[in-house]
Each structure stands twice: as structure tokens, then as C-alpha cells.
Amino acid sequence: MADNLAGMSEQPFHDLDAYVALPRLTGLALSPDGTSLVVSMQEPDDKGARYSSSLWALDLDGGPPTRLTRSDQGETAPAFLPDGSLLFVSARADSDADDDGDDDPALWLLPRTGEPRLVASTPGGLGGPVVALESGAVVLSGSRLVDSSDAEDDARRRKDRDDRKISAILHTGMPIRYWDHELGDESPRLLHLAGVDGDPPRDIAPEAGFALTEADYSISADGSLIATTWCERERGGRMPSGVSLIEVATGARTVLAAEAGVQYGSPRLSPDGRRLAVLRQVEGDFDTPMTESLVLHEPGTGAPPVQIELGDLWPTEWVWGRDSHTLFISGDWHGRAQVLEFDAALGLIVRRLAVDAAYSNLNPSPDGRYVYALRSAIDSAPTPVRLDATAEDQTPIALATPAPTPELPGLLVEVETQMPDGATMHGWLCLPPVSRGPAPLMLWVHGGPFMSDNSWSWRWNPWVAVARGYAVLLPDPALSTGYGPDWIARAWPHRAAQVWRDLEAMLDEVVARDDIDASRTACLGGSFGGFMTNWIAGHTDRFGAIVTHAGLWALDQQHTTTDAAWWKSGLFATPAEHPEWYAENSPHNFADKISTPMLVVHGNRDYRVPVSEALRLWWDLVS
């Protein structure tokens, strides 16, 4: 790491090249015996063209980390087998093959001693390996061209398309896009690998079609049962997601959960396969706010699902302990995040392990004593820590990391604002050194809108602005998560005026501080935050500049061109059905009121907020 960081300034936030070069931790995996912990780390490649990932072993006794893998293509998705050997995904070339390979990621094995070797590959690539703790079976994702009959035919057709440089896609239904990539030319597959030295991966659900689009899945410890999300195409472009159970031996599929107006996600089987924890999202409608809850199923018993009572916590991740009744849950909560221990046998929360930051990549030790995780906060990049699963509200123990958080160029202050209706809003203020005098202020509006600004962001990092002498205000206005259902209902459905009232109330308090220059303020936001900056631009001239990144501009246009058109149209309906809402909330209706200079930033492959929003914004402004 010393070589990688050589030449950087003491605070790399002052230099964008140095900031981009900072290593980033993205994943964590614990061996079945609890003695080995591996983290994946991203760094720019030699050309600075893309980020490449490597795997590092962390010393649980405090020693320095050790790099495990090296290749130009990088390695991701670490997953341990029962014997302690490590699986990972990489597009690296196979030294034992006759050719140099291709760009498709494949499954590799790093034994306890020796060099990595190729385990499995398929045309289109493999990803997301999940290992059965006892049997060592692996379930992973793959794909197949829609019109191919088998793996051999698939490979032939892919080569033909590549040789003839064919990029056309014949779509037979919606959706055709997801976030930043096309759908339709490939059918996602769920593959099963009985062992790393046997037959190639087996298609476990050949009838799936598009049902496994963006699937999430888990497998029981003995490898006999898989739980996966399962989509169904419906009229009107809808594609609701339920949960199915697949018996590995027979391939028989049972629908565990599927409801109209409900989306299910992240199904997690307990090791013994007797329980399943899954996110249940009720979509809501124009008058009824969306809700999320974590529910428990007991497959095969006939017992109804049970909702886990989490209070105001907005669940983001959950993982079972080896005993199959302890469930560790993390999520947004009151401007921070919690890690909770839930006992499924007792049906209650038995312990709150942490509430000081945001935690992800939870990895319980086999004896249930510890939970390893990546800890993140606004003033701390994700870093590996150990939590004691027997202690309440503890201080996490930091582990030696290959990507230490650099020194920050300022300080963080938490702020709270009382609203006229009695509600309290949480936020954060990132400040440059006081010695520089009153600082100009940037108001940053987060995206989502269903998220919290409570953790580190590499994409929107306030410390880059702080290093330039700016103060950055990060509020959690109405629709933010972790404050209970009333905080979302407060501005439902996406009422910009209420969100702006919240933002402006905190802004007014902050600009009254002696260390803030109230005469120099700017407003910035991305996605939903970009929607808000566009709307704010037409309702106030108090800012010296506005930056809108991937922002919604004309809602009648965006709601039917986004990759989630079925959701947007179902929630907001049409301007004819809700004319007052569209008139009040679509930023384009206020274009003639905008006098503030605006910087418009957008990505051409943003399918959630298509680039047409930025193009029309620009056209309306110059016209």
C-alpha cells in the first residue's frame, strides 16, 4: 500500500487525481471456521481507465493485511468453501487454456496453498457465487441468449453476433432496460455447481425466462434448497417480484410469496433451511405511502409469515448466524444506522450491537461471538471492524486495512432543526478549518429519495468540496429513511414543496452561524436530489449557483421513459388524473421563473433518469 499511496498529498481531497486513486473497500467474506477474513479492494488500473479489484486477507490478530490476488482484470465476489479455499470471480486469462480467454467473468478457486485455478466458465460470464456452508455446493448467476437452445448453441450464437458486430436487440416485452444496461438479448440463468471438481454448472431453472432478472438468492447449508426472487411479466409493463423455493435435486419450484402491489427482495435462508427472512415492500399508491418490512417465513409448515418489529429502523441487510435462529440486521435509524440481533425462536430483538455508524457486509463468526462488517460514516470510508455479539451499543474494534481512511480536510458537525409542525430533522455540516474565515456553503440534496445521508459516499463526497474551502450541508428531509413511516408520509407522494420547506428550514439555521458566509450559497443534488434542485431553481433566487445531476425535469416525460415506468405510472398516474400534483411538482412548469445559473450534468446511459431530462431542461432554459 505504501507504493500505491506514494506521492499523494497528505490530504488527497485537495487533488482530484489523488482522490480518485484512493483505494476503496467493497466486500467482505469470512471463512466457515472463522479464522480467515477476506476483503475486496478497488483501485484505478495502470491507465486510470477503470477500477480494478483485488482480494486481501485481513489478520484477525492485528497484523498487516496480505494481498492474495493480482491480475489486470481484477477479482471480485469472494466466497469461501467449507475447506477454507476461496472462490472468486474474474475475467483473467486461464494459463492452462490454448487461447487468451475473453472478457467474460468466470469462477476461480484459490486453494489454501498454491495458485488460483479456473473452476467454471460459460458464455456471457458468471457472477454472484453463494456457497452452501456444509456441502460446498455453489449457486451463481449466468445468462443465455434468448434464442439459444443449449450452452453449445449459445456459444455459437454469441460468437456469430460478435464476429458480425451485431448489437441489435429484438425486444418481446417490457422492461427493456435496468439502471445502466440493456435487457432483452439475454435470459438470466440461475446455475448450480455441485462441486469444484465435477460437472459444469447446471441450469437449475431452465424455464425461468426473464423471471430471474436482477435475481437475488441464497442456499441452505446442505445445498438442498435455494431461495430466489422470481419476477412475473404482467400487462402494462409490470414485473412484480416474488420469492420461489427450488429443490436442487429435482429442480421443482414452489412459490413462497407473491402478492399484487408487493415487491419482495433479498431472500435469506437460514442454514438449516427452515426459516427465510425477506424484505417485503408494499408499493403504495398516490394516497398511500410505500412501506418496507422484514418478514419471516417457515417454508413447508403452513405457518403465516411474521413481520419482525424493527421500530423506525429501515432494514438494508440481514444475515443468519450458524444456529439458524439468530438473525443479524442492519439498517438506517435516526441519522445513523443500527445493527440488531433478532432471535427467531423467541420472536424478538435481543440486542442492539451498534448505533454509531452504518454497517454492511455482515459476517457472523461460526460460534456467534463476533460479527465482522464494513463500518462507514460521513467522516469515515468503509473499513473492516469486529463487533462483539454479546455486547450492547459497543465501540467496534477496527482491523488493520489495506485502505485506511485518509486524513479529512475539515470537521463534521451534526445538526438538528425543529420544524413549525413539531417534527425534528437531522443533518450534517462538513466544515473547513475555522482559521479560513466564514465559508461559502453548499446545500447537497440526496437522491433516492428513500435513503439517508448517514454514510460515506465515494460518488458524492463532501470532503472534496471542504478541501476547496466550502462548507457542505447534508440534510435528511422528508422521505429520508430511518425516521419511521410518518417521515415518509410527510411528503408523500414526492411533494417537492414539503421537502424544500424542510431543507430551507435547516439551511436558514446554518447560514446564521458565524463560520458560514450567508452571501455565498449553492444548491446541488443528484437523481431525486437533481429533481429537487430543478424544482428549487424555479421557486427561489437565494442561491448563487445550482448544480443538477441526473435530475428529473418534465415528470410527464420521465414517468413513461424511465426503466421503472410501470412503478412511476402506477404511483403518480397521468397528468389528466392528477393535474394539480403534476402542475405543482414538475420542475419544467417553472422554467420561466429560473434566474439562477445552472450546471447540468447527466450520463447518457442513465436509464432510471434518461438523458432526455437533461436535454429538455437545457432546451427549455435556452428557449
Side-chain angles (χ1 to χ4, degrees):
M1 279 306 300
D3 292 338
N4 293 334
L5 298 179
M8 286 189 182
S9 61
E10 187 173 331
Q11 294 176 350
F13 302 98
H14 292 83
D15 181 274
L16 284 179
D17 289 336
Y19 171 73
V20 170
L22 286 172
R24 310 173 177 195
L25 302 186
T26 60
L28 201 65
L30 182 68
S31 64
D33 62 5
T35 61
S36 300
L37 187 65
V38 168
V39 66
S40 53
M41 185 178 77
Q42 290 184 341
E43 295 177 282
D45 62 12
D46 293 339
K47 297 179 181 179
R50 65 180 182 87
Y51 284 96
S52 180
S53 184
S54 57
L55 303 182
W56 294 68
L58 304 182
D59 191 322
L60 301 184
D61 296 322
T66 302
R67 184 166 184 169
L68 299 177
T69 62
R70 295 178 186 273
S71 74
D72 293 338
Q73 295 81 3
E75 300 81 25
T76 62
F80 280 97
L81 291 172
D83 65 359
S85 56
L86 182 68
L87 294 173
F88 62 85
V89 173
S90 178
R92 57 166 58 194
D94 182 9
S95 60
D96 295 329
D98 295 332
D99 54 44
D100 294 330
D102 50 37
D103 295 330
D104 291 335
L107 187 66
W108 290 74
L109 174 70
L110 179 64
R112 281 184 172 271
T113 59
E115 295 298 315
R117 65 176 177 86
L118 182 65
V119 171
S121 63
T122 63
L126 298 171
V130 176
V131 177
L133 290 173
E134 296 171 1
S135 72
V138 184
V139 58
L140 63 169
S141 61
S143 66
R144 181 172 293 175
L145 290 180
V146 174
D147 54 357
S148 62
S149 58
D150 53 34
E152 183 177 344
D153 182 47
D154 184 53
R156 182 185 62 78
R157 289 178 179 271
R158 287 178 186 273
K159 185 178 186 306
D160 182 58
R161 284 178 64 91
D162 185 58
D163 291 344
R164 298 168 61 189
K165 303 191 182 305
I166 297 175
S167 59
I169 301 173
L170 174 61
H171 294 291
T172 59
M174 295 290 284
I176 65 170
R177 294 170 168 177
Y178 185 82
W179 280 112
D180 61 352
H181 59 276
E182 303 282 346
L183 302 175
D185 59 333
E186 295 183 352
S187 173
R189 317 311 301 167
L190 194 62
L191 305 177
H192 177 264
L193 193 65
V196 296
D197 296 308
D199 296 329
R202 173 171 66 98
D203 191 339
I204 200 70
E207 82 288 359
F210 287 97
L212 294 170
T213 298
E214 306 300 325
D216 196 355
Y217 43 85
S218 59
I219 188 170
S220 60
D222 64 4
S224 65
L225 189 65
I226 294 172
T228 181
T229 53
W230 191 276
C231 302
E232 295 288 350
R233 273 181 165 167
E234 297 180 351
R235 292 178 62 86
R238 291 184 54 80
M239 202 167 180
S241 177
V243 178
S244 285
L245 300 178
I246 300 175
E247 295 180 8
V248 171
T250 64
R253 181 176 68 91
T254 303
V255 177
L256 180 67
E259 303 172 67
V262 175
Q263 299 286 338
Y264 284 91
S266 302
R268 299 291 178 259
L269 276 171
S270 60
D272 62 9
R274 295 175 55 193
R275 297 185 174 98
L276 181 134
V278 63
L279 185 70
R280 181 177 184 269
Q281 181 191 88
V282 180
E283 296 171 1
D285 55 33
F286 189 83
D287 299 307
T288 307
M290 177 192 75
T291 59
E292 286 199 353
S293 58
L294 192 59
V295 296
L296 280 182
H297 291 259
E298 295 185 358
T301 66
V306 176
Q307 179 176 322
I308 300 176
E309 296 300 328
L310 297 174
D312 288 347
L313 183 136
W314 182 270
T316 56
E317 185 177 327
W318 42 97
V319 61
W320 290 98
R322 299 291 177 83
D323 58 15
S324 290
H325 66 79
T326 301
L327 186 68
F328 296 98
I329 307 165
S330 65
D332 298 334
W333 184 80
H334 293 193
R336 284 184 170 78
Q338 288 186 342
V339 179
L340 302 177
E341 180 183 331
F342 173 79
D343 191 312
L346 300 176
L348 50 82
I349 301 293
V350 297
R351 193 171 291 107
R352 186 173 72 177
L353 275 62
V355 69
D356 63 308
Y359 292 84
S360 64
N361 293 265
L362 305 181
N363 281 265
S365 63
D367 60 3
R369 174 65 189 275
Y370 300 113
V371 175
Y372 298 92
L374 292 180
R375 178 189 182 275
S376 165
I378 293 175
D379 56 354
S380 177
T383 191
V385 298
R386 182 176 65 236
L387 296 170
D388 188 336
T390 67
E392 293 266 4
D393 292 352
Q394 65 199 278
T395 300
I397 303 301
L399 304 176
T401 170
T405 296
E407 181 184 354
L408 299 179
L411 57 94
L412 179 66
V413 177
E414 293 195 48
V415 291
E416 287 190 341
T417 298
Q418 298 298 315
M419 302 300 165
D421 61 1
T424 300
M425 187 173 76
H426 198 89
W428 300 264
L429 181 61
C430 303
L431 290 165
V434 178
S435 59
R436 297 182 180 180
L441 178 71
M442 292 182 176
L443 168 66
W444 285 15
V445 189
H446 70 62
F450 309 113
M451 61 166 286
S452 172
D453 250 332
N454 59 7
S455 59
W456 184 271
S457 172
W458 287 107
R459 185 181 183 189
W460 279 74
N461 191 290
W463 302 108
V464 175
V466 171
R468 295 281 196 269
Y470 293 93
V472 178
L473 177 60
L474 305 166
D476 263 0
L479 300 177
S480 299
T481 53
Y483 303 95
D486 289 344
W487 197 246
I488 291 177
R490 178 183 178 83
W492 190 267
H494 298 56
R495 297 186 183 275
Q498 179 59 58
V499 176
W500 172 232
R501 280 194 290 271
D502 288 355
L503 294 170
E504 192 169 31
M506 180 168 283
L507 178 64
D508 288 341
E509 283 193 9
V510 169
V511 296
R513 294 170 57 107
D514 293 338
D515 50 4
I516 298 297
D517 184 349
S519 67
R520 293 188 292 162
T521 60
C523 184
L524 301 85
S527 194
F528 176 82
F531 157 72
M532 283 304 306
T533 55
N534 289 340
W535 189 92
I536 290 167
H539 289 79
T540 183
D541 61 358
R542 69 178 293 169
F543 296 106
I546 286 179
V547 179
T548 175
H549 169 72
L552 292 74
W553 174 246
L555 300 187
D556 58 339
Q557 169 181 275
Q558 194 271 343
H559 287 176
T560 53
T561 57
T562 176
D563 65 341
W566 59 269
W567 185 80
K568 285 293 190 76
S569 298
L571 176 60
F572 301 105
T574 66
E577 293 171 288
H578 295 293
E580 292 183 359
W581 185 89
Y582 276 91
E584 295 172 0
N585 291 281
S586 189
H588 83 285
N589 291 324
F590 309 98
D592 60 342
K593 302 293 196 299
I594 296 176
S595 59
T596 306
M598 296 182 70
L599 172 63
V600 182
V601 184
H602 214 103
N604 200 46
R605 295 185 65 180
D606 184 344
Y607 299 145
R608 186 57 46 95
V609 183
V611 70
S612 54
E613 295 301 299
L615 296 175
R616 184 167 170 184
L617 164 59
W618 177 84
W619 183 259
D620 287 351
L621 291 179
V622 300
S623 299

